[in-house]
Amino acid sequence: MPAMTHSLDPALHAPIATPSLAMRYLRVDHAGEFGAIQIYRAQILIGRWLGHAHVALLEDFLAHERRHLATFAEVLAARGVRRCRSFLLCGVGGYALGLITALLGERAVMACTRAVETVVNRHLQEQLVHLADTDPQAHAAVASIVRDELGHRDLAAERVGADSALTRAVEAVVAMSTESVIWLGLR
Ligand SMILES: [Fe+2]
Ligand SMILES: [Fe+2]
């Protein structure tokens, strides 16, 4: 029978380091991209079923979000950082938001994208300011997605049409949900 050995790996005894703000940004962005993917997947599913006109646009958005997810996944993997604790919550919440908004109709779908991307772009701008001096690699990852996210916001805004009780309600719920998962992920 082999003798029992005790690990002397110093990493096991090192104090747990608090992740840097850059690391938390990367993790929350990675989780957010997963949330966005799930929103669009659900909206495309229902949109195809209901014959929505903007399914092809949502498919474009989805392709961008998959690329964004891969960008952040690559940076996290290179740094040996685990995904955000809100990753699954983003996925489940995103899918639910996608289903509900798609069932409410195309204006609700576009209001959802406008709300998500408005919140996301505000956070990305904040991140870029902080990362510019502290973490060039993380800055480059964030900078690489900004143009797509602004495009999603603007293309959706053009299609929302006149604001109504429905679009205002959708935007309030979606903006609050997005802010909440970002807040939770950054803690
Ligand atoms: Fe994205
Ligand atoms: Fe997006």
Side-chain angles (χ1 to χ4, degrees), residues 33 65 68 149:
E33 298 300 347
E65 307 301 3
H68 302 166
E149 307 298 16

Side-chain angles (χ1 to χ4, degrees), residues 114-174:
R114 181 171 70 176
V116 170
E117 301 290 13
T118 298
V119 172
V120 163
N121 279 292
R122 203 167 51 236
H123 281 275
L124 294 180
Q125 293 309 325
E126 243 179 72
Q127 294 181 10
L128 286 173
V129 171
H130 174 78
L131 296 173
D133 297 328
T134 56
D135 193 325
Q137 189 196 31
H139 184 273
V142 173
S144 76
I145 70 163
V146 166
R147 222 174 84 182
D148 286 343
E149 307 298 16
L150 287 170
H152 299 170
R153 183 197 64 188
D154 295 343
L155 287 167
E158 285 168 16
R159 287 163 175 77
V160 171
D163 280 327
S164 63
L166 172 73
T167 61
R168 275 192 288 270
V170 166
E171 292 198 281
V173 170
V174 171

Side-chain angles (χ1 to χ4, degrees), residues 7 9 25-26 31 34 53 64 69 84 94 123 131 134 159 184:
S7 169
D9 182 351
Y25 283 155
L26 290 169
F34 182 56
H64 299 156
L69 180 75
C84 187
H123 281 275
L131 296 173
T134 56
R159 287 163 175 77
L184 189 70

